[in-house]
């Protein structure tokens, strides 16, 4: 009798696992959102781990293998990962997650995009995304916008849990907006300071928190600044009394070191993406790491 119950339990457990929506994301940031929305009804895996620069990634066989069994495939969008994610999708042979299907999710669909260009540019112009700046996830308001498309994909692929997903979306939205409001209060004491960003990865963040953004160190996005550009940036920092440069861990520290040596400007480093997307507090911790460094500038 005991052995029969044990077999039944294992069968039910296996059935429950199989019933979960298999959702693959390109980056950890939208994987975190998917976890918050899906909870126990969704099995979420991110192809990237967090530290990588999502612009420059190879279409690894492991990515293709994971995508082959996905019910939903979700991208940041705005051409951020298109150089490799398109290959992953095509080689996966999974019809359910190809662009245009209900299993394909472009999280940028509802985002109020910044930096959109009227005409497309080729790679000679650097790491420029004609569709707009794809680094929206560091700004809470914009992450809420992105969450709407992930919600759509979950509901379309698992209608029976629609109410749960919508309830989780409402909770997530409230939490992110409350987090933003808390941080706005903290940042009110430095609202008159001026900032630069190394690469345009903090544009949405600075805009969402109403901080002064005087531009990027890079002249051509994605291309290390020339000696002449560095001289110009040094002059900009001095003339505009820039308090800090925001940079991710992938930014060239040698170049930033030259700017610090010449001007005394502070460099504030932040991970671009989450590394612990399974944790409920991962996004709050990422925000606090950045906010706390900014507050120390007062």
């Amino acid at each position: 009798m005991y052995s029969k119950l044990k077999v039944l339990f294992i069968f039910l457990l296996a059935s429950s696992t199989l019933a979960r929506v298999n959702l693959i994301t390109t980056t950890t940031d939208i994987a975190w959102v998917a976890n918050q929305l899906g909870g126990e009804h969704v099995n979420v895996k991110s192809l990237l781990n967090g530290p990588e620069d999502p612009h420059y990634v190879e279409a690894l066989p492991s990515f293709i293998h994971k995508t082959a069994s996905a019910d939903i495939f979700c991208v940041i969008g705005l051409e951020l990962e298109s150089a490799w994610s398109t290959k992953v999708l095509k080689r996966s042979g999974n019809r359910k997650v190809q662009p245009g299907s209900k299993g394909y999710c472009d999280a940028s669909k509802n985002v109020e995009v910044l930096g959109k260009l009227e005409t497309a540019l080729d790679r000679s112009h650097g790491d420029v995304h004609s569709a707009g700046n794809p680094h929206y996830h560091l700004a809470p308001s914009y992450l809420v916008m992105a969450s709407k498309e992930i919600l759509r994909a979950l509901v379309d692929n698992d209608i029976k849990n629609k109410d749960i997903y919508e309830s989780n979306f409402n909770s997530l939205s409230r939490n992110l907006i409350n987090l933003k409001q808390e941080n706005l209060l903290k940042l009110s004491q430095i609202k008159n300071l001026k900032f630069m960003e190394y690469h345009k990865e903090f544009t949405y963040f600075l805009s969402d928190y109403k901080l002064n953004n005087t531009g990027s160190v890079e002249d051509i996005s994605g291309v290390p600044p020339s000696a002449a550009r560095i001289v110009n940036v040094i002059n900009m920092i001095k003339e505009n009394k820039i308090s800090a440069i925001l940079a991710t861990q992938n930014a060239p520290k040698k170049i930033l070191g030259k700017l610090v040596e010449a001007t005394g400007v502070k460099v504030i480093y932040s991970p671009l993406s989450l590394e612990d997307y399974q944790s409920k507090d991962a996004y709050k911790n990422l925000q606090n790491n950045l906010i706390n460094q900014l507050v120390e500038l007062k």
Side-chain angles (χ1 to χ4, degrees):
M1 180 67 178
Y2 173 76
S3 60
K4 289 182 179 179
L5 288 173
K6 185 177 180 181
V7 170
L8 179 61
F9 174 77
I10 293 173
F11 174 77
L12 291 173
L13 182 63
S15 299
S16 175
T17 302
L18 289 172
R20 296 169 72 187
V21 176
N22 188 16
L23 192 154
I24 300 295
T25 70
T26 51
T27 75
T28 55
D29 312 291
I30 46 179
W32 179 81
V33 171
N35 268 326
Q36 303 312 301
L37 298 183
E40 63 182 8
H41 300 287
V42 180
N43 180 34
V44 180
K45 291 182 181 178
S46 172
L47 297 182
L48 301 188
N49 296 317
E52 309 95 332
D53 185 336
H55 296 93
Y56 309 109
V57 175
E58 295 295 325
L60 299 176
S62 60
F63 293 176
I64 298 167
H65 175 72
K66 291 175 182 176
T67 303
S69 58
D71 298 306
I72 300 172
F73 185 90
C74 195
V75 300
I76 284 283
L78 298 173
E79 304 169 0
L80 176 67
E81 63 275 80
S82 59
W84 56 274
S85 65
T86 301
K87 296 176 184 176
V88 169
L89 285 167
K90 288 181 178 178
R91 295 172 185 174
S92 72
N94 186 348
R95 293 183 178 181
K96 292 191 295 184
V97 296
Q98 300 303 317
S101 69
K102 69 177 184 179
Y104 180 77
C105 164
D106 182 342
S108 70
K109 185 175 181 179
N110 297 298
V111 172
E112 296 174 6
V113 179
L114 301 178
K116 189 173 182 177
L117 303 178
E118 295 300 324
T119 57
L121 300 176
D122 60 35
R123 299 302 294 182
S124 66
H125 294 271
D127 179 34
V128 177
H129 304 272
S130 58
N133 187 328
H135 303 294
Y136 55 77
H137 73 272
L138 285 175
S141 298
Y142 291 87
L143 192 59
V144 171
M145 299 177 200
S147 302
K148 294 177 182 178
E149 178 60 10
I150 301 175
L151 171 64
R152 189 280 310 162
L154 285 171
V155 170
D156 282 358
N157 286 273
D158 187 21
I159 189 65
K160 67 180 182 297
N161 288 312
K162 177 178 181 288
D163 291 344
I164 294 173
Y165 297 143
E166 290 181 344
S167 176
N168 289 345
F169 170 79
N170 291 333
S171 296
L172 175 64
S173 299
R174 284 195 301 270
N175 291 338
L176 288 175
I177 296 306
N178 288 339
L179 175 63
K180 175 187 171 180
Q181 294 305 317
E182 291 172 8
N183 287 334
L184 278 171
L185 288 175
K186 295 178 184 177
L187 294 170
S188 62
Q189 54 196 310
I190 63 163
K191 64 181 179 180
N192 294 323
L193 300 184
K194 296 179 181 180
F195 302 94
M196 293 187 75
E197 45 187 341
Y198 177 79
H199 181 67
K200 293 180 180 178
E201 290 158 319
F202 298 89
T203 305
Y204 290 92
F205 174 88
L206 292 168
S207 175
D208 207 20
Y209 284 117
K210 299 177 173 57
L211 296 174
N212 297 314
N213 184 359
T214 59
S216 60
V217 172
E218 293 177 333
D219 187 23
I220 300 175
S221 193
V223 177
S226 64
R229 174 61 180 175
I230 291 174
V231 171
N232 288 337
V233 171
I234 289 172
N235 291 332
M236 290 169 61
I237 292 172
K238 291 178 178 179
E239 291 171 5
N240 293 291
K241 298 181 180 179
I242 304 299
S243 296
I245 299 172
L246 277 60
T248 65
Q249 305 294 349
N250 294 318
K253 293 179 173 58
K254 184 175 180 180
I255 292 174
L256 290 168
K258 290 180 180 178
L259 298 177
V260 172
E261 183 179 356
T263 66
V265 70
K266 174 83 172 179
V267 178
I268 291 178
Y269 289 101
S270 170
L272 176 61
S273 296
L274 305 171
E275 294 186 27
D276 54 346
Y277 66 89
Q278 300 289 352
S279 168
K280 183 178 180 180
D281 294 326
Y283 190 76
K284 182 178 181 179
N285 293 338
L286 180 70
Q287 289 277 300
N288 286 345
N289 171 61
L290 190 47
I291 297 295
N292 292 341
Q293 290 184 77
L294 289 170
V295 172
E296 289 177 3
L297 295 170
K298 68 179 185 298

